[in-house]
Amino acid sequence: SVIREISGISAMEENLQRKLGIQKVIIVSGNCDESPWVKTELGRAAANRMKSNLTGENIIAVTGGSTIAAVADMLTPVDISQSCLFVPARGGIGEDVKNQANSICAAMADRTESKHRVLYIPDQVSQEMYESIIKEREISEVLKLIKSASMVLHGIGDAITMAERRKSSSEDLAKIKSEKAEGEAFGYYFNQKGEVVHKVQTIGLQLKDLSAIPHVIAVAGGKTKAKAIAAYMKQAPQSTVLVTDEGAAKSLLEG
Ligand code: G3H
């Protein structure tokens, strides 16, 4: 629109897209660290992007977090020619209920008048639990759906914030700090160079699965998340569309 051109947002989107080496960047005005309604706008922009990517049948894998929860709030019923199935990208018990991927999937299905599946397992599992749980029929079915997703919608977190919020063990927290992790996504912690310095054993979508998914939408804003976004974007598939805000974008362009 004219307003976006005058305010220079369109130019920022192009510059940032080139800098991060991804498919597209969508920037909303403001900084969600300071103004809560900016998160609502991130949700609106991501919901629009998501809807424009829908085809006949869609399997949409979603992660947890308050930003993705904001996307759910902005969704509206899909066209009758389209069907959506929402699946959590991974088990997520351990977070606040409203921020868990399971709850967000249920809310998205409700908003769009479509279906969802759940994965009621902890976010972090032991090797033994991992091996036995993936054999459960219910779980293996959902895992198959996750791996065949046509779209993934995910958040990016600040490494320390996420490690603390997920009540990581003191050893893990110390490792995340000493390895200078900056960003977190899908249970992987990335340093400034985009190297994985820590990984939580999770059941569900793994980083290597992303390249097979046609539409990848990352939603993260706020100046305080700029370093986290930069770190993760070094690893992100080229097909990624980033929905962010001016607060994060300005800082990313300066950095
Ligand atoms: O994985 C990271 C989280 O999705 C980020 O959570 O949206 O509440 O900041 P947040």
Side-chain angles (χ1 to χ4, degrees):
S1 74
V2 177
I3 293 170
R4 289 167 72 81
E5 274 166 44
I6 292 172
S7 63
I9 282 195
S10 302
M12 275 174 79
E13 288 175 338
E14 277 175 39
N15 291 341
L16 192 53
Q17 174 260 316
R18 253 178 271 126
K19 184 162 186 177
L20 300 176
I22 56 175
Q23 194 200 133
K24 192 176 171 64
V25 173
I26 298 168
I27 301 173
V28 304
S29 305
N31 176 2
C32 71
D33 293 334
E34 285 159 11
S35 328
W37 64 85
V38 176
K39 205 172 256 188
T40 309
E41 291 309 314
L42 282 174
R44 192 193 312 275
N48 287 340
R49 178 70 197 186
M50 201 183 127
K51 288 192 89 170
S52 73
N53 283 341
L54 294 176
T55 53
E57 282 183 20
N58 308 276
I59 300 176
I60 305 165
V62 302
T63 69
S66 59
T67 315
I68 303 300
V71 183
D73 289 340
M74 300 315 287
L75 283 169
T76 51
V78 293
D79 195 87
I80 43 165
S81 64
Q82 296 163 340
S83 76
C84 292
L85 175 64
F86 292 91
V87 289
R90 61 179 219 250
I93 300 177
E95 279 242 45
D96 219 28
V97 172
K98 66 175 190 317
N99 288 340
Q100 280 178 19
N102 284 317
S103 324
I104 297 173
C105 278
M108 287 186 170
D110 199 43
R111 288 268 179 190
T112 54
E113 296 171 1
S114 42
K115 298 189 191 109
H116 77 284
R117 296 287 297 265
V118 292
L119 208 49
Y120 281 129
I121 44 178
D123 183 47
Q124 196 160 357
V125 295
S126 64
Q127 189 63 32
E128 285 150 282
M129 183 176 179
Y130 179 85
E131 276 157 26
S132 68
I133 213 167
I134 55 171
K135 291 182 190 133
E136 291 291 326
R137 193 178 53 85
E138 274 283 314
I139 288 166
S140 73
E141 268 177 32
V142 180
L143 284 177
K144 259 188 220 140
L145 290 168
I146 293 170
K147 309 263 167 174
S148 62
S150 51
M151 200 186 303
V152 56
L153 196 65
H154 73 92
I156 301 166
D158 167 71
I160 311 283
T161 308
M162 292 315 296
E164 286 172 348
R165 201 163 94 185
R166 298 216 178 100
K167 299 175 186 67
S168 307
S169 68
S170 50
E171 296 87 63
D172 284 354
L173 192 60
K175 183 179 166 205
I176 287 163
K177 286 182 179 165
S178 71
E179 296 278 349
K180 297 191 171 60
E182 304 257 20
E184 185 276 348
F186 305 102
Y188 293 78
Y189 287 83
F190 306 90
N191 66 13
Q192 201 186 6
K193 291 183 187 157
E195 295 158 346
V196 175
V197 294
H198 179 67
K199 181 191 181 299
V200 175
Q201 168 97 290
T202 61
I203 292 182
L205 203 70
Q206 307 298 317
L207 209 52
K208 63 171 170 40
D209 302 325
L210 286 180
S211 56
I213 301 178
H215 302 289
V216 181
I217 306 176
V219 199
K223 190 169 193 263
T224 54
K225 271 195 191 177
K227 283 184 173 171
I229 298 170
Y232 170 70
M233 286 300 159
K234 301 238 161 74
Q235 276 278 342
Q238 197 278 329
S239 63
T240 301
V241 174
L242 170 68
V243 181
T244 190
D245 64 12
E246 258 182 298
K250 280 189 181 151
S251 180
L252 279 161
L253 284 167
E254 284 161 12

PDB file of all heavy atoms in Angstrom, residues 39 63-69 90 95 99 154-158 161-162 165-166 184-187 219-221 225, ligand 1:
ATOM      1  N   LYS A  39       1.708  -7.560  18.714  1.00  0.00           N
ATOM      2  CA  LYS A  39       1.669  -9.027  18.622  1.00  0.00           C
ATOM      3  C   LYS A  39       0.372  -9.470  17.929  1.00  0.00           C
ATOM      4  O   LYS A  39       0.357 -10.425  17.162  1.00  0.00           O
ATOM      5  CB  LYS A  39       1.799  -9.663  20.000  1.00  0.00           C
ATOM      6  CG  LYS A  39       2.361 -11.062  19.942  1.00  0.00           C
ATOM      7  CD  LYS A  39       2.663 -11.635  21.301  1.00  0.00           C
ATOM      8  CE  LYS A  39       4.151 -11.613  21.585  1.00  0.00           C
ATOM      9  NZ  LYS A  39       4.483 -12.328  22.831  1.00  0.00           N
ATOM     10  N   THR A  63       3.844 -24.810  16.199  1.00  0.00           N
ATOM     11  CA  THR A  63       4.579 -24.876  17.470  1.00  0.00           C
ATOM     12  C   THR A  63       3.828 -24.063  18.525  1.00  0.00           C
ATOM     13  O   THR A  63       2.806 -23.454  18.231  1.00  0.00           O
ATOM     14  CB  THR A  63       6.017 -24.322  17.339  1.00  0.00           C
ATOM     15  OG1 THR A  63       5.943 -22.906  17.137  1.00  0.00           O
ATOM     16  CG2 THR A  63       6.786 -24.950  16.195  1.00  0.00           C
ATOM     17  N   GLY A  64       4.374 -24.045  19.716  1.00  0.00           N
ATOM     18  CA  GLY A  64       3.733 -23.301  20.802  1.00  0.00           C
ATOM     19  C   GLY A  64       4.227 -21.870  20.881  1.00  0.00           C
ATOM     20  O   GLY A  64       4.874 -21.370  19.956  1.00  0.00           O
ATOM     21  N   GLY A  65       3.894 -21.213  21.974  1.00  0.00           N
ATOM     22  CA  GLY A  65       4.358 -19.845  22.222  1.00  0.00           C
ATOM     23  C   GLY A  65       3.244 -18.820  22.085  1.00  0.00           C
ATOM     24  O   GLY A  65       2.222 -19.074  21.446  1.00  0.00           O
ATOM     25  N   SER A  66       3.489 -17.661  22.706  1.00  0.00           N
ATOM     26  CA  SER A  66       2.458 -16.617  22.720  1.00  0.00           C
ATOM     27  C   SER A  66       2.256 -15.986  21.337  1.00  0.00           C
ATOM     28  O   SER A  66       1.171 -15.514  21.026  1.00  0.00           O
ATOM     29  CB  SER A  66       2.831 -15.546  23.737  1.00  0.00           C
ATOM     30  OG  SER A  66       4.083 -14.984  23.401  1.00  0.00           O
ATOM     31  N   THR A  67       3.287 -15.987  20.501  1.00  0.00           N
ATOM     32  CA  THR A  67       3.155 -15.379  19.171  1.00  0.00           C
ATOM     33  C   THR A  67       2.267 -16.240  18.276  1.00  0.00           C
ATOM     34  O   THR A  67       1.384 -15.726  17.581  1.00  0.00           O
ATOM     35  CB  THR A  67       4.544 -15.182  18.517  1.00  0.00           C
ATOM     36  OG1 THR A  67       5.429 -14.641  19.497  1.00  0.00           O
ATOM     37  CG2 THR A  67       4.471 -14.268  17.321  1.00  0.00           C
ATOM     38  N   ILE A  68       2.493 -17.549  18.311  1.00  0.00           N
ATOM     39  CA  ILE A  68       1.664 -18.442  17.488  1.00  0.00           C
ATOM     40  C   ILE A  68       0.228 -18.472  18.039  1.00  0.00           C
ATOM     41  O   ILE A  68      -0.734 -18.566  17.275  1.00  0.00           O
ATOM     42  CB  ILE A  68       2.300 -19.854  17.368  1.00  0.00           C
ATOM     43  CG1 ILE A  68       3.720 -19.750  16.781  1.00  0.00           C
ATOM     44  CG2 ILE A  68       1.459 -20.774  16.484  1.00  0.00           C
ATOM     45  CD1 ILE A  68       3.838 -19.120  15.391  1.00  0.00           C
ATOM     46  N   ALA A  69       0.108 -18.309  19.352  1.00  0.00           N
ATOM     47  CA  ALA A  69      -1.239 -18.211  19.944  1.00  0.00           C
ATOM     48  C   ALA A  69      -1.958 -16.983  19.381  1.00  0.00           C
ATOM     49  O   ALA A  69      -3.170 -17.015  19.147  1.00  0.00           O
ATOM     50  CB  ALA A  69      -1.152 -18.163  21.456  1.00  0.00           C
ATOM     51  N   ARG A  90       5.315 -30.670  17.814  1.00  0.00           N
ATOM     52  CA  ARG A  90       5.962 -31.597  18.757  1.00  0.00           C
ATOM     53  C   ARG A  90       5.212 -31.600  20.077  1.00  0.00           C
ATOM     54  O   ARG A  90       4.361 -30.744  20.309  1.00  0.00           O
ATOM     55  CB  ARG A  90       7.416 -31.183  18.979  1.00  0.00           C
ATOM     56  CG  ARG A  90       7.602 -29.802  19.566  1.00  0.00           C
ATOM     57  CD  ARG A  90       9.096 -29.580  19.745  1.00  0.00           C
ATOM     58  NE  ARG A  90       9.381 -28.885  20.971  1.00  0.00           N
ATOM     59  CZ  ARG A  90       9.813 -27.639  21.020  1.00  0.00           C
ATOM     60  NH1 ARG A  90       9.967 -26.951  19.916  1.00  0.00           N
ATOM     61  NH2 ARG A  90      10.097 -27.087  22.169  1.00  0.00           N
ATOM     62  N   GLU A  95       4.862 -26.244  29.049  1.00  0.00           N
ATOM     63  CA  GLU A  95       4.588 -24.809  28.896  1.00  0.00           C
ATOM     64  C   GLU A  95       3.232 -24.499  29.499  1.00  0.00           C
ATOM     65  O   GLU A  95       2.432 -25.397  29.742  1.00  0.00           O
ATOM     66  CB  GLU A  95       4.540 -24.465  27.404  1.00  0.00           C
ATOM     67  CG  GLU A  95       5.912 -24.281  26.795  1.00  0.00           C
ATOM     68  CD  GLU A  95       6.123 -22.890  26.253  1.00  0.00           C
ATOM     69  OE1 GLU A  95       5.772 -21.924  26.955  1.00  0.00           O
ATOM     70  OE2 GLU A  95       6.648 -22.782  25.132  1.00  0.00           O
ATOM     71  N   ASN A  99      -0.233 -21.587  25.861  1.00  0.00           N
ATOM     72  CA  ASN A  99       0.879 -21.455  24.911  1.00  0.00           C
ATOM     73  C   ASN A  99       1.363 -22.782  24.350  1.00  0.00           C
ATOM     74  O   ASN A  99       2.319 -22.835  23.601  1.00  0.00           O
ATOM     75  CB  ASN A  99       2.055 -20.738  25.585  1.00  0.00           C
ATOM     76  CG  ASN A  99       1.790 -19.268  25.792  1.00  0.00           C
ATOM     77  OD1 ASN A  99       0.918 -18.698  25.139  1.00  0.00           O
ATOM     78  ND2 ASN A  99       2.514 -18.660  26.702  1.00  0.00           N
ATOM     79  N   HIS A 154       5.739 -21.516  12.881  1.00  0.00           N
ATOM     80  CA  HIS A 154       6.518 -21.663  14.110  1.00  0.00           C
ATOM     81  C   HIS A 154       6.998 -20.352  14.702  1.00  0.00           C
ATOM     82  O   HIS A 154       7.148 -19.356  13.997  1.00  0.00           O
ATOM     83  CB  HIS A 154       7.706 -22.598  13.863  1.00  0.00           C
ATOM     84  CG  HIS A 154       8.811 -22.005  13.028  1.00  0.00           C
ATOM     85  ND1 HIS A 154       9.885 -21.354  13.586  1.00  0.00           N
ATOM     86  CD2 HIS A 154       9.003 -21.976  11.697  1.00  0.00           C
ATOM     87  CE1 HIS A 154      10.690 -20.948  12.610  1.00  0.00           C
ATOM     88  NE2 HIS A 154      10.176 -21.312  11.449  1.00  0.00           N
ATOM     89  N   GLY A 155       7.272 -20.379  15.991  1.00  0.00           N
ATOM     90  CA  GLY A 155       7.815 -19.229  16.680  1.00  0.00           C
ATOM     91  C   GLY A 155       9.323 -19.362  16.791  1.00  0.00           C
ATOM     92  O   GLY A 155       9.905 -20.415  16.478  1.00  0.00           O
ATOM     93  N   ILE A 156       9.973 -18.286  17.195  1.00  0.00           N
ATOM     94  CA  ILE A 156      11.412 -18.301  17.474  1.00  0.00           C
ATOM     95  C   ILE A 156      11.538 -17.648  18.844  1.00  0.00           C
ATOM     96  O   ILE A 156      10.929 -16.598  19.091  1.00  0.00           O
ATOM     97  CB  ILE A 156      12.218 -17.491  16.433  1.00  0.00           C
ATOM     98  CG1 ILE A 156      12.002 -18.050  15.015  1.00  0.00           C
ATOM     99  CG2 ILE A 156      13.711 -17.468  16.787  1.00  0.00           C
ATOM    100  CD1 ILE A 156      12.487 -17.113  13.906  1.00  0.00           C
ATOM    101  N   GLY A 157      12.298 -18.269  19.726  1.00  0.00           N
ATOM    102  CA  GLY A 157      12.432 -17.698  21.064  1.00  0.00           C
ATOM    103  C   GLY A 157      13.849 -17.269  21.361  1.00  0.00           C
ATOM    104  O   GLY A 157      14.803 -17.760  20.748  1.00  0.00           O
ATOM    105  N   ASP A 158      13.982 -16.362  22.314  1.00  0.00           N
ATOM    106  CA  ASP A 158      15.297 -16.006  22.828  1.00  0.00           C
ATOM    107  C   ASP A 158      15.772 -17.217  23.642  1.00  0.00           C
ATOM    108  O   ASP A 158      15.001 -17.762  24.441  1.00  0.00           O
ATOM    109  CB  ASP A 158      15.164 -14.761  23.714  1.00  0.00           C
ATOM    110  CG  ASP A 158      16.420 -14.517  24.522  1.00  0.00           C
ATOM    111  OD1 ASP A 158      17.431 -14.131  23.922  1.00  0.00           O
ATOM    112  OD2 ASP A 158      16.398 -14.738  25.750  1.00  0.00           O
ATOM    113  N   THR A 161      15.561 -17.084  27.599  1.00  0.00           N
ATOM    114  CA  THR A 161      14.153 -16.959  27.975  1.00  0.00           C
ATOM    115  C   THR A 161      13.446 -18.301  27.832  1.00  0.00           C
ATOM    116  O   THR A 161      12.707 -18.732  28.726  1.00  0.00           O
ATOM    117  CB  THR A 161      13.444 -15.916  27.066  1.00  0.00           C
ATOM    118  OG1 THR A 161      14.194 -14.715  27.086  1.00  0.00           O
ATOM    119  CG2 THR A 161      12.015 -15.650  27.497  1.00  0.00           C
ATOM    120  N   MET A 162      13.680 -18.982  26.716  1.00  0.00           N
ATOM    121  CA  MET A 162      13.000 -20.252  26.469  1.00  0.00           C
ATOM    122  C   MET A 162      13.498 -21.345  27.402  1.00  0.00           C
ATOM    123  O   MET A 162      12.713 -22.131  27.915  1.00  0.00           O
ATOM    124  CB  MET A 162      13.170 -20.688  25.008  1.00  0.00           C
ATOM    125  CG  MET A 162      12.455 -19.807  24.010  1.00  0.00           C
ATOM    126  SD  MET A 162      10.763 -19.356  24.473  1.00  0.00           S
ATOM    127  CE  MET A 162       9.973 -20.953  24.462  1.00  0.00           C
ATOM    128  N   ARG A 165      11.868 -20.634  30.675  1.00  0.00           N
ATOM    129  CA  ARG A 165      10.429 -20.849  30.625  1.00  0.00           C
ATOM    130  C   ARG A 165      10.083 -22.342  30.586  1.00  0.00           C
ATOM    131  O   ARG A 165       9.089 -22.776  31.130  1.00  0.00           O
ATOM    132  CB  ARG A 165       9.871 -20.137  29.388  1.00  0.00           C
ATOM    133  CG  ARG A 165       8.392 -19.837  29.470  1.00  0.00           C
ATOM    134  CD  ARG A 165       8.013 -18.803  28.436  1.00  0.00           C
ATOM    135  NE  ARG A 165       7.537 -19.439  27.216  1.00  0.00           N
ATOM    136  CZ  ARG A 165       7.219 -18.759  26.098  1.00  0.00           C
ATOM    137  NH1 ARG A 165       7.344 -17.443  26.057  1.00  0.00           N
ATOM    138  NH2 ARG A 165       6.789 -19.380  25.038  1.00  0.00           N
ATOM    139  N   ARG A 166      10.932 -23.117  29.930  1.00  0.00           N
ATOM    140  CA  ARG A 166      10.675 -24.562  29.843  1.00  0.00           C
ATOM    141  C   ARG A 166      11.271 -25.312  31.022  1.00  0.00           C
ATOM    142  O   ARG A 166      11.330 -26.544  31.015  1.00  0.00           O
ATOM    143  CB  ARG A 166      11.257 -25.107  28.541  1.00  0.00           C
ATOM    144  CG  ARG A 166      10.610 -24.469  27.344  1.00  0.00           C
ATOM    145  CD  ARG A 166      10.449 -25.434  26.209  1.00  0.00           C
ATOM    146  NE  ARG A 166       9.775 -24.795  25.098  1.00  0.00           N
ATOM    147  CZ  ARG A 166      10.390 -24.325  24.022  1.00  0.00           C
ATOM    148  NH1 ARG A 166      11.696 -24.430  23.891  1.00  0.00           N
ATOM    149  NH2 ARG A 166       9.692 -23.758  23.064  1.00  0.00           N
ATOM    150  N   GLU A 184      16.188 -19.983  19.803  1.00  0.00           N
ATOM    151  CA  GLU A 184      15.635 -21.333  19.942  1.00  0.00           C
ATOM    152  C   GLU A 184      14.452 -21.494  18.997  1.00  0.00           C
ATOM    153  O   GLU A 184      13.626 -20.592  18.876  1.00  0.00           O
ATOM    154  CB  GLU A 184      15.192 -21.567  21.385  1.00  0.00           C
ATOM    155  CG  GLU A 184      14.715 -22.974  21.696  1.00  0.00           C
ATOM    156  CD  GLU A 184      13.245 -23.252  21.354  1.00  0.00           C
ATOM    157  OE1 GLU A 184      12.499 -22.298  21.068  1.00  0.00           O
ATOM    158  OE2 GLU A 184      12.847 -24.426  21.319  1.00  0.00           O
ATOM    159  N   ALA A 185      14.393 -22.642  18.343  1.00  0.00           N
ATOM    160  CA  ALA A 185      13.223 -23.006  17.539  1.00  0.00           C
ATOM    161  C   ALA A 185      13.186 -24.522  17.458  1.00  0.00           C
ATOM    162  O   ALA A 185      14.248 -25.162  17.370  1.00  0.00           O
ATOM    163  CB  ALA A 185      13.310 -22.410  16.128  1.00  0.00           C
ATOM    164  N   PHE A 186      12.015 -25.118  17.549  1.00  0.00           N
ATOM    165  CA  PHE A 186      11.806 -26.565  17.467  1.00  0.00           C
ATOM    166  C   PHE A 186      12.622 -27.360  18.492  1.00  0.00           C
ATOM    167  O   PHE A 186      12.978 -28.508  18.255  1.00  0.00           O
ATOM    168  CB  PHE A 186      12.153 -27.095  16.058  1.00  0.00           C
ATOM    169  CG  PHE A 186      11.406 -26.403  14.951  1.00  0.00           C
ATOM    170  CD1 PHE A 186      12.030 -25.431  14.176  1.00  0.00           C
ATOM    171  CD2 PHE A 186      10.075 -26.700  14.686  1.00  0.00           C
ATOM    172  CE1 PHE A 186      11.346 -24.776  13.159  1.00  0.00           C
ATOM    173  CE2 PHE A 186       9.388 -26.050  13.665  1.00  0.00           C
ATOM    174  CZ  PHE A 186      10.017 -25.089  12.898  1.00  0.00           C
ATOM    175  N   GLY A 187      12.998 -26.722  19.604  1.00  0.00           N
ATOM    176  CA  GLY A 187      13.778 -27.433  20.612  1.00  0.00           C
ATOM    177  C   GLY A 187      15.281 -27.425  20.340  1.00  0.00           C
ATOM    178  O   GLY A 187      16.053 -28.058  21.058  1.00  0.00           O
ATOM    179  N   VAL A 219       7.133 -16.786  12.773  1.00  0.00           N
ATOM    180  CA  VAL A 219       6.531 -15.563  13.286  1.00  0.00           C
ATOM    181  C   VAL A 219       7.242 -15.172  14.579  1.00  0.00           C
ATOM    182  O   VAL A 219       7.194 -15.913  15.569  1.00  0.00           O
ATOM    183  CB  VAL A 219       5.014 -15.738  13.568  1.00  0.00           C
ATOM    184  CG1 VAL A 219       4.327 -14.376  13.650  1.00  0.00           C
ATOM    185  CG2 VAL A 219       4.326 -16.619  12.538  1.00  0.00           C
ATOM    186  N   ALA A 220       7.919 -14.032  14.569  1.00  0.00           N
ATOM    187  CA  ALA A 220       8.645 -13.581  15.756  1.00  0.00           C
ATOM    188  C   ALA A 220       8.923 -12.093  15.632  1.00  0.00           C
ATOM    189  O   ALA A 220       9.376 -11.634  14.585  1.00  0.00           O
ATOM    190  CB  ALA A 220       9.965 -14.340  15.891  1.00  0.00           C
ATOM    191  N   GLY A 221       8.629 -11.352  16.684  1.00  0.00           N
ATOM    192  CA  GLY A 221       8.885  -9.916  16.647  1.00  0.00           C
ATOM    193  C   GLY A 221       9.428  -9.418  17.971  1.00  0.00           C
ATOM    194  O   GLY A 221       9.571 -10.181  18.932  1.00  0.00           O
ATOM    195  N   LYS A 225      14.126  -9.889  20.384  1.00  0.00           N
ATOM    196  CA  LYS A 225      14.276 -11.186  19.706  1.00  0.00           C
ATOM    197  C   LYS A 225      15.177 -11.098  18.469  1.00  0.00           C
ATOM    198  O   LYS A 225      15.379 -12.108  17.799  1.00  0.00           O
ATOM    199  CB  LYS A 225      12.912 -11.731  19.279  1.00  0.00           C
ATOM    200  CG  LYS A 225      12.235 -12.588  20.340  1.00  0.00           C
ATOM    201  CD  LYS A 225      11.095 -13.377  19.718  1.00  0.00           C
ATOM    202  CE  LYS A 225      10.238 -14.023  20.799  1.00  0.00           C
ATOM    203  NZ  LYS A 225       9.105 -14.734  20.215  1.00  0.00           N
TER     204      LYS A 225
HETATM  205  O1  G3H B   1       9.866 -21.620  20.416  1.00  0.00           O
HETATM  206  C1  G3H B   1       9.844 -20.426  20.738  1.00  0.00           C
HETATM  207  C2  G3H B   1       8.600 -19.863  21.149  1.00  0.00           C
HETATM  208  O2  G3H B   1       7.699 -20.197  20.165  1.00  0.00           O
HETATM  209  C3  G3H B   1       8.576 -18.375  21.344  1.00  0.00           C
HETATM  210  O3  G3H B   1       7.539 -18.080  22.220  1.00  0.00           O
HETATM  211  O4  G3H B   1       6.094 -16.515  21.004  1.00  0.00           O
HETATM  212  O5  G3H B   1       5.934 -16.732  23.480  1.00  0.00           O
HETATM  213  O6  G3H B   1       7.911 -15.647  22.424  1.00  0.00           O
HETATM  214  P1  G3H B   1       6.857 -16.668  22.282  1.00  0.00           P
END
